[in-house]
Amino acid sequence: MRVLVAGATGVIGSPLVPLLEAVGHDVVALAGSRRRSEDDAVAIALNRDALVRAVASAAPDAVVNLLTPVPAALGPRRAARHLAAAGLLRTGCARDLYEAAREAGARRIIAQGLAYAYQPGEGLADEDAPLWTEHTPRRFAPVLAALLDLERATADAGGLVLRFGHLYGPGSAFAARGSFTERVRAGRVPVVGGGRSVLSFTHADDAATAIVAALDKEVGGVLNVVDDTPLTMAEFLPAFARILDAPPPRRTPVALARLAVGGWGVACMTGLRGADNARARSRLRWRPRHPSWPGGRAPATRTR
């Protein structure tokens, strides 16, 4: 199968491309060369004529949409702004990509979504649970709107959205020199309130294996691709700090944290809901190779 990967040099694309080639697929990067930067692919995606030419030239059987302009270094106040910028690629650009793919004869479309945008609630969210459309934090609202549009566009194209959890691995914010790791190492990430957010993680390698598993299966809609063992923020941050030999995270009241990082920052610490992966395991016959943090190890210790 000839597979066009839009986002071939990103956190997921980097392990995905060699895996696709190892199992016999012919891989084409949207930017034309895997040596070119992710910015090149984003520039093509934002230029409809260039996008149509690139997809027509590739003549893919399948398209994997991993495009995102979100940089590796994100602080709590900047995150929503950069994620909103990512919405440009999750809306009109995605529709242009899918239309070009259809005209080029592609039969399969897979897109990257998020598994931590569910409405807060009890227990792990399956794919039928609503996204965070009620009492949405103001800074997250445009991100959510873009995600919903991406999922609609992918559904209209007959494709599949894989909702990934908090992504870790080489090049991610949780990598050894990643932005989140550096902030924890510096003692700049507190446990806010009770640290009630539930975090479902996804290793980049597991995201890649899920994409490969989905290519040859007639599965549409959305699937959660996350690990088996979610952690609360109150569990995660102290464990991460211990592994990094960092200061133990301080405890910060919600009201004080809101002044420092805003409502969305507080929501990330106290309101996120974990995700259930049972449907992906069943429909894709997929299993995470990284089902949890073995021995309580933090993501940065498991990068290569």
Side-chain angles (χ1 to χ4, degrees), residues 222-251:
V222 297
L223 292 174
N224 293 331
V225 174
V226 296
D227 65 8
D228 296 334
T229 315
L231 297 173
T232 66
M233 188 66 78
E235 294 169 326
F236 164 66
L237 279 177
F240 203 175
R242 284 194 297 271
I243 292 303
L244 298 173
D245 291 326
R250 64 189 185 279
R251 298 273 175 168

PDB file of all heavy atoms in Angstrom, residues 222-251:
ATOM      1  N   VAL A 222     -14.296   6.934  15.626  1.00  0.00           N
ATOM      2  CA  VAL A 222     -13.200   7.341  16.516  1.00  0.00           C
ATOM      3  C   VAL A 222     -12.844   6.179  17.432  1.00  0.00           C
ATOM      4  O   VAL A 222     -13.692   5.365  17.786  1.00  0.00           O
ATOM      5  CB  VAL A 222     -13.583   8.571  17.367  1.00  0.00           C
ATOM      6  CG1 VAL A 222     -13.858   9.778  16.491  1.00  0.00           C
ATOM      7  CG2 VAL A 222     -14.775   8.283  18.266  1.00  0.00           C
ATOM      8  N   LEU A 223     -11.573   6.104  17.787  1.00  0.00           N
ATOM      9  CA  LEU A 223     -11.098   5.088  18.730  1.00  0.00           C
ATOM     10  C   LEU A 223     -10.080   5.724  19.675  1.00  0.00           C
ATOM     11  O   LEU A 223      -9.218   6.499  19.242  1.00  0.00           O
ATOM     12  CB  LEU A 223     -10.438   3.917  17.990  1.00  0.00           C
ATOM     13  CG  LEU A 223     -11.325   3.017  17.144  1.00  0.00           C
ATOM     14  CD1 LEU A 223     -10.482   1.995  16.373  1.00  0.00           C
ATOM     15  CD2 LEU A 223     -12.355   2.290  18.011  1.00  0.00           C
ATOM     16  N   ASN A 224     -10.169   5.366  20.958  1.00  0.00           N
ATOM     17  CA  ASN A 224      -9.175   5.797  21.936  1.00  0.00           C
ATOM     18  C   ASN A 224      -7.955   4.890  21.858  1.00  0.00           C
ATOM     19  O   ASN A 224      -8.073   3.674  22.067  1.00  0.00           O
ATOM     20  CB  ASN A 224      -9.736   5.718  23.358  1.00  0.00           C
ATOM     21  CG  ASN A 224     -10.847   6.714  23.617  1.00  0.00           C
ATOM     22  OD1 ASN A 224     -10.878   7.789  23.014  1.00  0.00           O
ATOM     23  ND2 ASN A 224     -11.752   6.375  24.523  1.00  0.00           N
ATOM     24  N   VAL A 225      -6.806   5.470  21.585  1.00  0.00           N
ATOM     25  CA  VAL A 225      -5.550   4.717  21.567  1.00  0.00           C
ATOM     26  C   VAL A 225      -4.696   5.236  22.717  1.00  0.00           C
ATOM     27  O   VAL A 225      -3.982   6.234  22.595  1.00  0.00           O
ATOM     28  CB  VAL A 225      -4.836   4.869  20.210  1.00  0.00           C
ATOM     29  CG1 VAL A 225      -3.468   4.218  20.236  1.00  0.00           C
ATOM     30  CG2 VAL A 225      -5.696   4.254  19.103  1.00  0.00           C
ATOM     31  N   VAL A 226      -4.834   4.567  23.850  1.00  0.00           N
ATOM     32  CA  VAL A 226      -4.174   5.000  25.086  1.00  0.00           C
ATOM     33  C   VAL A 226      -3.652   3.769  25.819  1.00  0.00           C
ATOM     34  O   VAL A 226      -3.930   2.625  25.439  1.00  0.00           O
ATOM     35  CB  VAL A 226      -5.153   5.772  26.000  1.00  0.00           C
ATOM     36  CG1 VAL A 226      -5.618   7.064  25.345  1.00  0.00           C
ATOM     37  CG2 VAL A 226      -6.365   4.911  26.366  1.00  0.00           C
ATOM     38  N   ASP A 227      -2.907   4.021  26.911  1.00  0.00           N
ATOM     39  CA  ASP A 227      -2.378   2.900  27.680  1.00  0.00           C
ATOM     40  C   ASP A 227      -3.469   2.283  28.555  1.00  0.00           C
ATOM     41  O   ASP A 227      -4.621   2.734  28.553  1.00  0.00           O
ATOM     42  CB  ASP A 227      -1.145   3.316  28.486  1.00  0.00           C
ATOM     43  CG  ASP A 227      -1.448   4.338  29.572  1.00  0.00           C
ATOM     44  OD1 ASP A 227      -2.631   4.631  29.835  1.00  0.00           O
ATOM     45  OD2 ASP A 227      -0.482   4.852  30.185  1.00  0.00           O
ATOM     46  N   ASP A 228      -3.096   1.254  29.297  1.00  0.00           N
ATOM     47  CA  ASP A 228      -4.061   0.508  30.106  1.00  0.00           C
ATOM     48  C   ASP A 228      -4.213   1.037  31.523  1.00  0.00           C
ATOM     49  O   ASP A 228      -5.140   0.634  32.228  1.00  0.00           O
ATOM     50  CB  ASP A 228      -3.635  -0.966  30.206  1.00  0.00           C
ATOM     51  CG  ASP A 228      -3.643  -1.686  28.874  1.00  0.00           C
ATOM     52  OD1 ASP A 228      -4.405  -1.269  27.979  1.00  0.00           O
ATOM     53  OD2 ASP A 228      -2.883  -2.664  28.723  1.00  0.00           O
ATOM     54  N   THR A 229      -3.298   1.906  31.973  1.00  0.00           N
ATOM     55  CA  THR A 229      -3.232   2.258  33.383  1.00  0.00           C
ATOM     56  C   THR A 229      -3.153   3.762  33.571  1.00  0.00           C
ATOM     57  O   THR A 229      -2.064   4.320  33.759  1.00  0.00           O
ATOM     58  CB  THR A 229      -2.011   1.593  34.057  1.00  0.00           C
ATOM     59  OG1 THR A 229      -1.938   0.230  33.655  1.00  0.00           O
ATOM     60  CG2 THR A 229      -2.120   1.655  35.579  1.00  0.00           C
ATOM     61  N   PRO A 230      -4.289   4.450  33.509  1.00  0.00           N
ATOM     62  CA  PRO A 230      -4.272   5.897  33.730  1.00  0.00           C
ATOM     63  C   PRO A 230      -3.799   6.244  35.143  1.00  0.00           C
ATOM     64  O   PRO A 230      -3.928   5.439  36.078  1.00  0.00           O
ATOM     65  CB  PRO A 230      -5.736   6.301  33.532  1.00  0.00           C
ATOM     66  CG  PRO A 230      -6.355   5.182  32.769  1.00  0.00           C
ATOM     67  CD  PRO A 230      -5.639   3.944  33.207  1.00  0.00           C
ATOM     68  N   LEU A 231      -3.254   7.451  35.276  1.00  0.00           N
ATOM     69  CA  LEU A 231      -2.791   7.960  36.563  1.00  0.00           C
ATOM     70  C   LEU A 231      -3.446   9.294  36.845  1.00  0.00           C
ATOM     71  O   LEU A 231      -3.708  10.069  35.924  1.00  0.00           O
ATOM     72  CB  LEU A 231      -1.273   8.171  36.542  1.00  0.00           C
ATOM     73  CG  LEU A 231      -0.372   6.959  36.331  1.00  0.00           C
ATOM     74  CD1 LEU A 231       1.068   7.428  36.177  1.00  0.00           C
ATOM     75  CD2 LEU A 231      -0.488   6.002  37.506  1.00  0.00           C
ATOM     76  N   THR A 232      -3.684   9.589  38.112  1.00  0.00           N
ATOM     77  CA  THR A 232      -4.108  10.942  38.449  1.00  0.00           C
ATOM     78  C   THR A 232      -2.889  11.858  38.428  1.00  0.00           C
ATOM     79  O   THR A 232      -1.743  11.411  38.552  1.00  0.00           O
ATOM     80  CB  THR A 232      -4.747  11.008  39.839  1.00  0.00           C
ATOM     81  OG1 THR A 232      -3.753  10.699  40.824  1.00  0.00           O
ATOM     82  CG2 THR A 232      -5.925  10.048  39.956  1.00  0.00           C
ATOM     83  N   MET A 233      -3.143  13.137  38.269  1.00  0.00           N
ATOM     84  CA  MET A 233      -2.052  14.102  38.305  1.00  0.00           C
ATOM     85  C   MET A 233      -1.319  14.022  39.650  1.00  0.00           C
ATOM     86  O   MET A 233      -0.087  14.185  39.703  1.00  0.00           O
ATOM     87  CB  MET A 233      -2.593  15.513  38.071  1.00  0.00           C
ATOM     88  CG  MET A 233      -1.526  16.573  37.893  1.00  0.00           C
ATOM     89  SD  MET A 233      -0.536  16.376  36.383  1.00  0.00           S
ATOM     90  CE  MET A 233      -1.670  17.040  35.152  1.00  0.00           C
ATOM     91  N   ALA A 234      -2.067  13.766  40.716  1.00  0.00           N
ATOM     92  CA  ALA A 234      -1.451  13.663  42.041  1.00  0.00           C
ATOM     93  C   ALA A 234      -0.515  12.465  42.137  1.00  0.00           C
ATOM     94  O   ALA A 234       0.437  12.477  42.928  1.00  0.00           O
ATOM     95  CB  ALA A 234      -2.533  13.571  43.118  1.00  0.00           C
ATOM     96  N   GLU A 235      -0.769  11.421  41.361  1.00  0.00           N
ATOM     97  CA  GLU A 235       0.137  10.263  41.322  1.00  0.00           C
ATOM     98  C   GLU A 235       1.315  10.519  40.381  1.00  0.00           C
ATOM     99  O   GLU A 235       2.457  10.170  40.682  1.00  0.00           O
ATOM    100  CB  GLU A 235      -0.624   9.025  40.846  1.00  0.00           C
ATOM    101  CG  GLU A 235      -1.707   8.554  41.789  1.00  0.00           C
ATOM    102  CD  GLU A 235      -2.604   7.507  41.169  1.00  0.00           C
ATOM    103  OE1 GLU A 235      -2.851   7.586  39.934  1.00  0.00           O
ATOM    104  OE2 GLU A 235      -3.068   6.623  41.897  1.00  0.00           O
ATOM    105  N   PHE A 236       1.009  11.109  39.252  1.00  0.00           N
ATOM    106  CA  PHE A 236       2.011  11.268  38.204  1.00  0.00           C
ATOM    107  C   PHE A 236       3.131  12.238  38.574  1.00  0.00           C
ATOM    108  O   PHE A 236       4.318  11.922  38.437  1.00  0.00           O
ATOM    109  CB  PHE A 236       1.314  11.730  36.921  1.00  0.00           C
ATOM    110  CG  PHE A 236       2.230  12.298  35.889  1.00  0.00           C
ATOM    111  CD1 PHE A 236       3.166  11.508  35.257  1.00  0.00           C
ATOM    112  CD2 PHE A 236       2.166  13.646  35.550  1.00  0.00           C
ATOM    113  CE1 PHE A 236       4.026  12.031  34.296  1.00  0.00           C
ATOM    114  CE2 PHE A 236       3.009  14.185  34.596  1.00  0.00           C
ATOM    115  CZ  PHE A 236       3.943  13.370  33.970  1.00  0.00           C
ATOM    116  N   LEU A 237       2.768  13.443  39.024  1.00  0.00           N
ATOM    117  CA  LEU A 237       3.793  14.466  39.231  1.00  0.00           C
ATOM    118  C   LEU A 237       4.847  14.085  40.270  1.00  0.00           C
ATOM    119  O   LEU A 237       6.049  14.236  40.009  1.00  0.00           O
ATOM    120  CB  LEU A 237       3.132  15.796  39.603  1.00  0.00           C
ATOM    121  CG  LEU A 237       2.585  16.616  38.444  1.00  0.00           C
ATOM    122  CD1 LEU A 237       1.904  17.876  38.951  1.00  0.00           C
ATOM    123  CD2 LEU A 237       3.677  16.973  37.449  1.00  0.00           C
ATOM    124  N   PRO A 238       4.475  13.561  41.447  1.00  0.00           N
ATOM    125  CA  PRO A 238       5.524  13.171  42.396  1.00  0.00           C
ATOM    126  C   PRO A 238       6.411  12.051  41.858  1.00  0.00           C
ATOM    127  O   PRO A 238       7.624  12.052  42.084  1.00  0.00           O
ATOM    128  CB  PRO A 238       4.731  12.722  43.638  1.00  0.00           C
ATOM    129  CG  PRO A 238       3.423  13.420  43.525  1.00  0.00           C
ATOM    130  CD  PRO A 238       3.132  13.471  42.057  1.00  0.00           C
ATOM    131  N   ALA A 239       5.816  11.092  41.129  1.00  0.00           N
ATOM    132  CA  ALA A 239       6.610   9.999  40.565  1.00  0.00           C
ATOM    133  C   ALA A 239       7.587  10.531  39.523  1.00  0.00           C
ATOM    134  O   ALA A 239       8.761  10.132  39.481  1.00  0.00           O
ATOM    135  CB  ALA A 239       5.687   8.957  39.939  1.00  0.00           C
ATOM    136  N   PHE A 240       7.115  11.427  38.693  1.00  0.00           N
ATOM    137  CA  PHE A 240       7.971  12.025  37.667  1.00  0.00           C
ATOM    138  C   PHE A 240       9.128  12.782  38.319  1.00  0.00           C
ATOM    139  O   PHE A 240      10.287  12.663  37.916  1.00  0.00           O
ATOM    140  CB  PHE A 240       7.125  12.955  36.813  1.00  0.00           C
ATOM    141  CG  PHE A 240       7.668  13.217  35.436  1.00  0.00           C
ATOM    142  CD1 PHE A 240       6.918  13.972  34.542  1.00  0.00           C
ATOM    143  CD2 PHE A 240       8.891  12.729  35.001  1.00  0.00           C
ATOM    144  CE1 PHE A 240       7.376  14.237  33.261  1.00  0.00           C
ATOM    145  CE2 PHE A 240       9.362  12.982  33.722  1.00  0.00           C
ATOM    146  CZ  PHE A 240       8.612  13.743  32.858  1.00  0.00           C
ATOM    147  N   ALA A 241       8.809  13.568  39.345  1.00  0.00           N
ATOM    148  CA  ALA A 241       9.847  14.351  40.029  1.00  0.00           C
ATOM    149  C   ALA A 241      10.897  13.446  40.668  1.00  0.00           C
ATOM    150  O   ALA A 241      12.100  13.741  40.607  1.00  0.00           O
ATOM    151  CB  ALA A 241       9.202  15.250  41.081  1.00  0.00           C
ATOM    152  N   ARG A 242      10.481  12.330  41.255  1.00  0.00           N
ATOM    153  CA  ARG A 242      11.447  11.416  41.875  1.00  0.00           C
ATOM    154  C   ARG A 242      12.402  10.847  40.843  1.00  0.00           C
ATOM    155  O   ARG A 242      13.614  10.750  41.077  1.00  0.00           O
ATOM    156  CB  ARG A 242      10.708  10.272  42.589  1.00  0.00           C
ATOM    157  CG  ARG A 242      10.072  10.668  43.902  1.00  0.00           C
ATOM    158  CD  ARG A 242       9.665   9.447  44.701  1.00  0.00           C
ATOM    159  NE  ARG A 242       8.654   8.646  44.017  1.00  0.00           N
ATOM    160  CZ  ARG A 242       7.345   8.841  44.145  1.00  0.00           C
ATOM    161  NH1 ARG A 242       6.884   9.827  44.910  1.00  0.00           N
ATOM    162  NH2 ARG A 242       6.488   8.075  43.500  1.00  0.00           N
ATOM    163  N   ILE A 243      11.886  10.462  39.691  1.00  0.00           N
ATOM    164  CA  ILE A 243      12.734   9.899  38.649  1.00  0.00           C
ATOM    165  C   ILE A 243      13.739  10.928  38.154  1.00  0.00           C
ATOM    166  O   ILE A 243      14.875  10.601  37.820  1.00  0.00           O
ATOM    167  CB  ILE A 243      11.862   9.387  37.484  1.00  0.00           C
ATOM    168  CG1 ILE A 243      11.045   8.185  37.942  1.00  0.00           C
ATOM    169  CG2 ILE A 243      12.713   9.011  36.279  1.00  0.00           C
ATOM    170  CD1 ILE A 243      11.865   7.038  38.478  1.00  0.00           C
ATOM    171  N   LEU A 244      13.330  12.173  38.103  1.00  0.00           N
ATOM    172  CA  LEU A 244      14.196  13.238  37.605  1.00  0.00           C
ATOM    173  C   LEU A 244      15.116  13.795  38.684  1.00  0.00           C
ATOM    174  O   LEU A 244      15.908  14.708  38.405  1.00  0.00           O
ATOM    175  CB  LEU A 244      13.341  14.373  37.039  1.00  0.00           C
ATOM    176  CG  LEU A 244      12.446  14.038  35.840  1.00  0.00           C
ATOM    177  CD1 LEU A 244      11.544  15.221  35.505  1.00  0.00           C
ATOM    178  CD2 LEU A 244      13.269  13.629  34.636  1.00  0.00           C
ATOM    179  N   ASP A 245      15.010  13.261  39.920  1.00  0.00           N
ATOM    180  CA  ASP A 245      15.745  13.835  41.055  1.00  0.00           C
ATOM    181  C   ASP A 245      15.421  15.313  41.204  1.00  0.00           C
ATOM    182  O   ASP A 245      16.280  16.144  41.534  1.00  0.00           O
ATOM    183  CB  ASP A 245      17.262  13.650  40.893  1.00  0.00           C
ATOM    184  CG  ASP A 245      17.686  12.190  41.016  1.00  0.00           C
ATOM    185  OD1 ASP A 245      17.047  11.469  41.812  1.00  0.00           O
ATOM    186  OD2 ASP A 245      18.620  11.784  40.312  1.00  0.00           O
ATOM    187  N   ALA A 246      14.174  15.629  40.960  1.00  0.00           N
ATOM    188  CA  ALA A 246      13.700  17.006  41.057  1.00  0.00           C
ATOM    189  C   ALA A 246      13.052  17.239  42.414  1.00  0.00           C
ATOM    190  O   ALA A 246      12.708  16.281  43.123  1.00  0.00           O
ATOM    191  CB  ALA A 246      12.688  17.272  39.938  1.00  0.00           C
ATOM    192  N   PRO A 247      12.848  18.483  42.798  1.00  0.00           N
ATOM    193  CA  PRO A 247      12.151  18.756  44.061  1.00  0.00           C
ATOM    194  C   PRO A 247      10.733  18.180  44.011  1.00  0.00           C
ATOM    195  O   PRO A 247      10.091  18.189  42.948  1.00  0.00           O
ATOM    196  CB  PRO A 247      12.117  20.285  44.121  1.00  0.00           C
ATOM    197  CG  PRO A 247      13.158  20.754  43.167  1.00  0.00           C
ATOM    198  CD  PRO A 247      13.255  19.717  42.102  1.00  0.00           C
ATOM    199  N   PRO A 248      10.224  17.683  45.129  1.00  0.00           N
ATOM    200  CA  PRO A 248       8.828  17.224  45.144  1.00  0.00           C
ATOM    201  C   PRO A 248       7.901  18.377  44.760  1.00  0.00           C
ATOM    202  O   PRO A 248       8.140  19.529  45.150  1.00  0.00           O
ATOM    203  CB  PRO A 248       8.598  16.801  46.601  1.00  0.00           C
ATOM    204  CG  PRO A 248       9.961  16.576  47.154  1.00  0.00           C
ATOM    205  CD  PRO A 248      10.875  17.520  46.438  1.00  0.00           C
ATOM    206  N   PRO A 249       6.886  18.114  43.965  1.00  0.00           N
ATOM    207  CA  PRO A 249       5.989  19.212  43.558  1.00  0.00           C
ATOM    208  C   PRO A 249       5.261  19.792  44.762  1.00  0.00           C
ATOM    209  O   PRO A 249       4.800  19.060  45.638  1.00  0.00           O
ATOM    210  CB  PRO A 249       5.022  18.538  42.583  1.00  0.00           C
ATOM    211  CG  PRO A 249       5.075  17.082  42.915  1.00  0.00           C
ATOM    212  CD  PRO A 249       6.467  16.814  43.398  1.00  0.00           C
ATOM    213  N   ARG A 250       5.176  21.096  44.805  1.00  0.00           N
ATOM    214  CA  ARG A 250       4.460  21.740  45.902  1.00  0.00           C
ATOM    215  C   ARG A 250       2.963  21.614  45.665  1.00  0.00           C
ATOM    216  O   ARG A 250       2.520  21.332  44.544  1.00  0.00           O
ATOM    217  CB  ARG A 250       4.862  23.213  46.012  1.00  0.00           C
ATOM    218  CG  ARG A 250       4.485  24.059  44.820  1.00  0.00           C
ATOM    219  CD  ARG A 250       5.096  25.446  44.894  1.00  0.00           C
ATOM    220  NE  ARG A 250       4.645  26.300  43.806  1.00  0.00           N
ATOM    221  CZ  ARG A 250       5.143  26.271  42.589  1.00  0.00           C
ATOM    222  NH1 ARG A 250       6.114  25.412  42.285  1.00  0.00           N
ATOM    223  NH2 ARG A 250       4.674  27.084  41.651  1.00  0.00           N
ATOM    224  N   ARG A 251       2.201  21.852  46.696  1.00  0.00           N
ATOM    225  CA  ARG A 251       0.741  21.853  46.595  1.00  0.00           C
ATOM    226  C   ARG A 251       0.259  23.289  46.496  1.00  0.00           C
ATOM    227  O   ARG A 251       0.681  24.148  47.277  1.00  0.00           O
ATOM    228  CB  ARG A 251       0.136  21.185  47.830  1.00  0.00           C
ATOM    229  CG  ARG A 251       0.533  19.716  47.989  1.00  0.00           C
ATOM    230  CD  ARG A 251      -0.408  18.823  47.221  1.00  0.00           C
ATOM    231  NE  ARG A 251       0.024  17.422  47.268  1.00  0.00           N
ATOM    232  CZ  ARG A 251      -0.733  16.413  46.880  1.00  0.00           C
ATOM    233  NH1 ARG A 251      -1.963  16.637  46.438  1.00  0.00           N
ATOM    234  NH2 ARG A 251      -0.288  15.178  46.928  1.00  0.00           N
TER     235      ARG A 251
END
